[in-house]
């Protein structure tokens, strides 16, 4: 009798479902669900369709983890209320901006203790020149490390940083904080609006726990096949 071959575990990838309509997003979620651990719902989809979008893409993905990427940034009381408003969705990750300060990050963490409040350090679209223009003391690596320490001290259990900063942030915050890296591009892929990038393999080798990938998968002719190929490359 031939033994049944076990399907490989989903890869530590969050596919960004940045679609203008719910039908496209659910189609992507269904296609990538067998291959990845997480689906990411961001501002475009959430603001257009709300809680219904989350429920539908999660169902289409086969119940994968939810990365709710709302990047909350407001006074602590407002952020706490916003976090409580999505508690029924049970996101695995909910993003806030670390630059909102320790009190704001703490408010989110206390409002939603079962979720990994995920503090965004410096957006991966920002270059050194962009940091100078907005008055954020750089270089980027120093700004990221500074914000990472602040956020973890305030209760964040995950951080978003570019793959170029993963190793330094891991050394700064230790092994228990999840590091999430957007700005991941397979070799040869277009950079789009990302300024600080690396390959998925390099990001994982440097200590990332979850890779955020959007257009290299969702803009492919066959998103399911693209997700499967990326997952297989990470297991190689």
């Amino acid at each position: 009798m031939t033994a049944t071959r076990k399907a490989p575990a989903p890869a530590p990838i969050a596919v960004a479902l940045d679609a203008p309509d719910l039908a496209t997003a659910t189609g992507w979620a269904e296609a990538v669900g067998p291959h990845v651990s997480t689906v990411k719902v961001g501002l475009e989809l959430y603001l257009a369709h709300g809680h219904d979008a989350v429920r539908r893409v999660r169902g289409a993905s086969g119940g994968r983890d939810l990365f709710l990427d709302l990047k909350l940034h407001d006074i602590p009381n407002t952020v706490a209320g916003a976090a409580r408003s999505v508690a029924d969705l049970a996101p695995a990750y909910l993003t806030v901006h670390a630059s909102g300060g320790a009190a704001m990050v703490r408010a989110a963490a206390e409002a939603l203790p079962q979720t990994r409040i995920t503090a965004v350090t410096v957006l991966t679209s920002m270059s050194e020149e962009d940091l100078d223009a907005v008055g954020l003391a750089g270089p980027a690596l120093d700004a990221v490390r500074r914000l990472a320490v602040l956020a973890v001290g305030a209760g964040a259990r995950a951080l978003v940083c570019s793959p170029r900063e993963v190793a330094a942030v891991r050394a700064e915050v230790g092994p228990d904080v999840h590091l999430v890296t957007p700005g991941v591009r397979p070799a040869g892929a277009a950079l789009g609006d990302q300024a600080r990038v690396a390959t998925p393999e390099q990001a994982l080798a440097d200590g990332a726990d979850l890779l955020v990938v959007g257009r290299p998968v969702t803009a492919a002719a066959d998103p399911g096949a693209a997700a499967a190929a990326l997952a297989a490359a990470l297991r190689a």
Side-chain angles (χ1 to χ4, degrees):
M1 180 181 293
T2 303
T4 302
R5 190 172 183 178
K6 187 176 180 180
I13 297 168
V15 174
L17 305 176
D18 296 327
D21 63 273
L22 192 48
T24 299
T26 53
W28 287 344
E30 183 177 10
V32 305
H35 313 293
V36 304
S37 66
T38 308
V39 289
K40 185 173 85 71
V41 174
L43 286 171
E44 182 178 13
L45 192 61
Y46 186 79
L47 291 178
H49 300 285
H51 280 39
D52 185 50
V54 174
R55 296 189 179 101
R56 289 180 62 180
V57 300
R58 177 183 270 163
S61 74
R64 294 305 183 204
D65 284 347
L66 168 67
F67 185 147
L68 192 53
D69 189 19
L70 302 185
K71 295 187 178 71
L72 302 176
H73 192 168
D74 212 311
I75 63 172
N77 187 62
T78 298
V79 166
R84 285 192 292 269
S85 76
V86 298
D88 62 312
L89 297 175
Y93 302 86
L94 173 66
T95 53
V96 302
H97 272 292
S99 57
M104 190 205 77
V105 175
R106 186 174 299 110
E110 291 175 351
L112 214 57
Q114 302 306 311
T115 290
R116 288 185 183 276
I117 295 302
T118 303
V120 178
T121 54
V122 175
L123 294 172
T124 53
S125 60
M126 297 188 76
S127 65
E128 301 287 354
E129 293 75 17
D130 294 327
L131 294 181
D132 288 341
V134 300
L136 186 60
L141 178 59
D142 291 346
V144 167
R145 291 167 63 183
R146 187 169 63 246
L147 289 166
V149 170
L150 176 149
V152 170
R157 295 194 289 136
L159 297 165
V160 177
C161 60
S162 94
R164 293 190 186 179
E165 293 115 26
V166 168
V169 172
R170 175 62 72 206
E172 198 78 51
V173 302
D176 297 329
V177 177
H178 274 218
L179 300 187
V180 180
T181 57
V184 171
R185 289 290 185 269
L191 298 185
D193 56 2
Q194 302 294 322
R196 305 190 323 278
V197 304
T199 65
E201 296 85 352
Q202 186 62 53
L204 283 184
D206 286 344
D209 295 291
L210 183 67
L211 311 178
V212 177
V213 182
R215 285 161 286 187
V217 169
T218 58
D222 184 341
L230 181 54
L234 294 179
R235 287 191 290 267

